[in-house]
């Protein structure tokens, strides 16, 4: 499919990842329609596309029947709250029903739309489908260790349902589907107040405050810079791989090491404070096995965590209004 231009629908287009996908697919010459209801995203993320001749936008909740005029060649379903943080109004713990509806009804509606259009379909799944994993690193063949009704279950189980429904449409209706399992990704356009670790740490560090580590900081994550992730997703879209593919950076770090790196890169000397705020089900370890992406997509990340944080700092400085040098 690389080479021919497509008309593409991206749900969740006003979010962090969706807006970067719009940019990349427009840059490749495709015509893009973004869809979003702004429940966790922001029109600011798409403001630069106003007036773009190949971009249009529909404000709509994907949990309701979706109508898009004209023929679509591809649908990328990214609409879903994505932050686990119970202290943020954008966290899925505080949007539990909407999260389940976006993953279940939203996936059903977008798959139905793909069927009606004979369009290819790509689902944004997540490393959370592995739960608090016992196998490490996580390969796509691992079935996970998931709490079916804890506070994170609204996200984890909705995404697991979404994967199952996507494969059912592929097997039963012959829909040309893809599933990307996204691991922790960061970069410009993350929401400052969504409570995820990168916005929290960068906002704190740039304002000269101590970084809040939840628990003892020995839990691990593997952070991928957004341009690498988007490149992996686009390669998957152009491929003909129907089984799930992990996309993420396999360099694993403890949250304590990560906090120290952020303080160093941001020049913050306020240190760290420990808080007893780890959410129920907060995974202890997370690291993608990207053998499948390497071999089938010839993809691997290029940007180190340090390079990515350096590229992200100016965005946070601007959003925090730090050109004038103040934080509230
Ligand atoms: P985000 O909150 O920035 O973007 C999600 C977008 O979806 C928002 O603009 C939101 O308003 C929109 N949305 C939510 N429910 C909707 C609905 N019912 N109808 C229409 N729009 C709706 O989050 P993100 O980090 O960009 O995540 C995008 C996708 O990637 C999500 O599906 C998420 O599960 C997945 N993902 C992200 C990460 C990551 O590290 N960022 C990791 C794993 C998976
Ligand atoms: N975390 C933290 N301090 C913060 C925010 C998050 O120590 O201010 C921890 C959180 O408990 C988790 C890790 O950082 O162990 C990653 O959290 P995030 O919310 O970014 O996403 P998750 O990977 O849990 O989905």
């Amino acid at each position: 499919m690389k080479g021919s231009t497509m008309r593409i629908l991206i749900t969740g287009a006003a979010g962090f990842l969706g807006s970067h996908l719009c940019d990349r697919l427009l840059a490749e010459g495709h015509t893009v329609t973004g869809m979003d209801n702004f429940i966790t995203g922001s029109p600011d993320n798409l403001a630069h596309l106003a007036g773009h001749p190949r971009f249009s936008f529909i404000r709509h909740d994907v949990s309701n029947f979706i109508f898009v005029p004209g023929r679509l060649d591809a649908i990328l379903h990214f609409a879903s709250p994505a932050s686990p943080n119970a202290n943020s109004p954008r966290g899925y713990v505080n949007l539990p029903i909407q999260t389940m509806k976006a993953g279940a009804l939203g996936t059903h509606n977008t798959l139905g739309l793909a069927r009606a259009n004979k369009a290819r379909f790509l689902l944004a799944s997540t490393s959370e489908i592995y739960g608090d994993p016992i196998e490490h690193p996580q390969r796509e063949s691992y079935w996970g260790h998931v709490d079916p009704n804890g506070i994170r279950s609204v996200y984890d189980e909705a995404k697991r349902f979404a994967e199952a429904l996507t494969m059912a449409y592929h097997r039963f209706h012959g829909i040309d589907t893809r599933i990307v399992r996204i691991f922790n990704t960061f970069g410009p356009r993350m929401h400052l107040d969504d409570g995820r670790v990168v916005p929290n740490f960068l906002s704190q560090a740039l304002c000269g405050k101590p970084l809040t580590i939840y628990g003892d900081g020995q839990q691990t994550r593997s952070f991928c810079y957004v341009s690498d992730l988007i490149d992996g997703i686009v390669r998957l879209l152009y491929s003909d791989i129907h089984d799930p593919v992990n996309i993420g950076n396999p360099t694993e770090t403890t949250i304590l090491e990560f906090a120290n790196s952020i303080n160093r890169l941001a020049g913050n000397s306020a240190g760290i404070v420990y808080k007893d705020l780890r959410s129920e089900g907060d995974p202890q370890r997370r690291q993608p096995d990207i053998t499948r992406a390497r071999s089938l997509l010839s993809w691997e990340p290029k940007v180190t965590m340090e390079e990515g944080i350096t590229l992200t700092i100016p965005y946070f400085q601007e959003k925090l209004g730090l050109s004038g040098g103040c934080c509230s």
Side-chain angles (χ1 to χ4, degrees):
M1 191 62 80
K2 189 167 171 55
S4 59
T5 57
M6 296 186 276
R7 180 156 181 258
I8 302 176
L9 175 70
I10 301 177
T11 74
F16 164 48
L17 299 181
S19 63
H20 283 284
L21 266 176
C22 290
D23 289 349
R24 170 70 189 263
L25 292 169
L26 286 167
E28 302 237 336
H30 302 295
T31 298
V32 174
T33 298
M35 179 172 285
D36 207 292
N37 66 351
F38 304 127
I39 189 169
T40 59
S42 166
D44 292 352
N45 289 333
L46 296 174
H48 61 289
L49 295 179
H52 191 296
R54 283 182 284 105
F55 181 74
S56 58
F57 181 78
I58 302 172
R59 183 171 185 162
H60 182 71
D61 181 338
V62 295
S63 306
N64 300 321
F65 181 85
I66 303 170
F67 173 73
V68 177
R71 174 80 201 279
L72 291 167
D73 301 300
I75 298 169
L76 285 75
H77 180 37
F78 276 67
S80 170
S83 166
N85 197 305
N87 304 310
S88 163
R90 293 182 202 266
Y92 55 70
V93 172
N94 295 312
L95 302 166
I97 316 290
Q98 294 94 327
T99 301
M100 294 215 76
K101 286 172 78 175
L105 306 180
T107 304
H108 189 218
N109 288 330
T110 48
L111 278 164
L113 190 65
R115 187 174 174 218
N117 281 273
K118 296 186 172 53
R120 66 176 51 190
F121 178 87
L122 186 146
L123 172 71
S125 185
T126 167
S127 54
E128 279 283 325
I129 65 103
Y130 300 118
D132 189 0
I134 293 169
E135 273 190 23
H136 194 79
Q138 292 79 55
R139 284 191 297 265
E140 290 88 346
S141 55
Y142 179 47
W143 292 357
H145 178 234
V146 183
D147 180 345
N149 51 33
I151 61 165
R152 291 175 92 114
S153 65
V154 295
Y155 183 68
D156 303 7
E157 294 294 8
K159 292 289 186 179
R160 287 167 72 94
F161 176 90
E163 286 202 11
L165 192 65
T166 300
M167 290 309 290
Y169 267 71
H170 171 63
R171 294 188 183 113
F172 191 73
H173 288 310
I175 306 300
D176 187 12
T177 58
R178 321 270 181 281
I179 297 173
V180 56
R181 289 188 182 149
I182 301 168
F183 282 66
N184 293 66
T185 301
F186 70 95
R189 302 192 197 147
M190 293 193 91
H191 311 288
L192 267 63
D193 65 351
D194 81 358
R196 282 183 272 190
V197 67
V198 172
N200 274 12
F201 281 5
L202 272 179
S203 303
Q204 290 158 349
L206 293 170
C207 292
K209 295 178 181 166
L211 308 198
T212 53
I213 288 190
Y214 299 166
D216 62 7
Q218 292 309 305
Q219 68 269 36
T220 71
R221 293 295 185 272
S222 307
F223 293 101
C224 186
Y225 187 63
V226 63
S227 60
D228 280 333
L229 179 92
I230 297 295
D231 190 53
I233 291 171
V234 170
R235 283 172 192 245
L236 181 62
L237 178 69
Y238 293 155
S239 79
D240 56 4
I241 301 165
H242 305 298
D243 288 330
V245 179
N246 288 340
I247 300 285
N249 192 316
T251 307
E252 185 183 11
T253 171
T254 67
I255 293 299
L256 175 58
E257 288 163 349
F258 187 57
N260 287 328
S261 301
I262 298 260
N263 272 337
R264 179 171 46 77
L265 293 165
N268 183 32
S269 54
I272 282 163
V273 286
Y274 291 89
K275 302 240 175 191
D276 192 17
L277 280 177
R278 280 196 77 183
S279 67
E280 175 192 313
D282 188 346
Q284 188 58 34
R285 299 185 73 184
R286 186 182 283 157
Q287 182 190 30
D289 180 315
I290 59 165
T291 308
R292 187 176 285 180
R294 276 198 176 107
S295 63
L296 298 181
L297 302 176
S298 303
W299 176 86
E300 62 182 2
K302 297 188 176 72
V303 183
T304 65
M305 184 269 287
E306 285 80 2
E307 289 165 347
I309 291 294
T310 305
L311 289 166
T312 307
I313 283 175
Y315 168 81
F316 276 83
Q317 284 173 322
E318 190 198 320
K319 285 286 172 187
L320 290 162
L322 287 180
S323 333
C326 155
C327 280
S328 54

